[in-house]
Amino acid sequence: MIADSVQSLSNAAFSKPNYLEIVPIGVNKAEALKHLAAILGLDLSQFAAIGDGLNDIEMLREAGLGIAMGNAPEAVKSEADWVTGTNNEGGVAQAVWKLLNDGLV
């Protein structure tokens, strides 16, 4: 498999069944979130992150609140603090609405 052949040089993950993402070791959405937090002078506990792919797991773990989309694989949902609706159900909007209504932002 392609993903296995580049593993020693990079991280490879399928974000969709036919979409392989290959990035250098140490580059991922969690690291980007940490960088953004540092720039803004905020703690990661103050962040909510929403994801639906295997490449989102690290980010969901690092954020203060990890939210998985309803259409995410079970591996992603199991790492999230809660699960919102699917892409087709407006899951991101549902999550933002819940954050606002629950006074979390």
Side-chain angles (χ1 to χ4, degrees):
M1 302 277 290
I2 295 172
D4 295 332
S5 67
V6 298
Q7 198 64 37
S8 65
L9 304 172
S10 60
N11 292 318
F14 282 95
S15 56
K16 296 180 181 177
N18 61 346
Y19 194 84
L20 177 63
E21 293 187 20
I22 302 172
V23 296
I25 291 175
V27 174
N28 58 54
K29 293 179 183 182
E31 291 301 318
L33 194 63
K34 289 177 189 176
H35 185 71
L36 178 61
I39 289 170
L40 297 174
L42 299 172
D43 190 80
L44 284 173
S45 66
Q46 296 174 278
F47 282 78
I50 303 174
D52 66 352
L54 297 174
N55 62 337
D56 295 317
I57 290 175
E58 294 159 318
M59 175 183 67
L60 296 177
R61 288 178 184 157
E62 291 292 329
L65 180 63
I67 305 165
M69 297 294 292
N71 54 287
E74 286 303 318
V76 177
K77 291 178 183 177
S78 69
E79 294 291 337
D81 297 301
W82 50 276
V83 178
T84 188
T86 67
N87 292 348
N88 292 335
E89 298 168 337
V92 172
Q94 290 176 19
V96 171
W97 187 252
K98 179 174 173 49
L99 292 170
L100 292 169
N101 282 338
D102 291 354
L104 297 172
V105 290

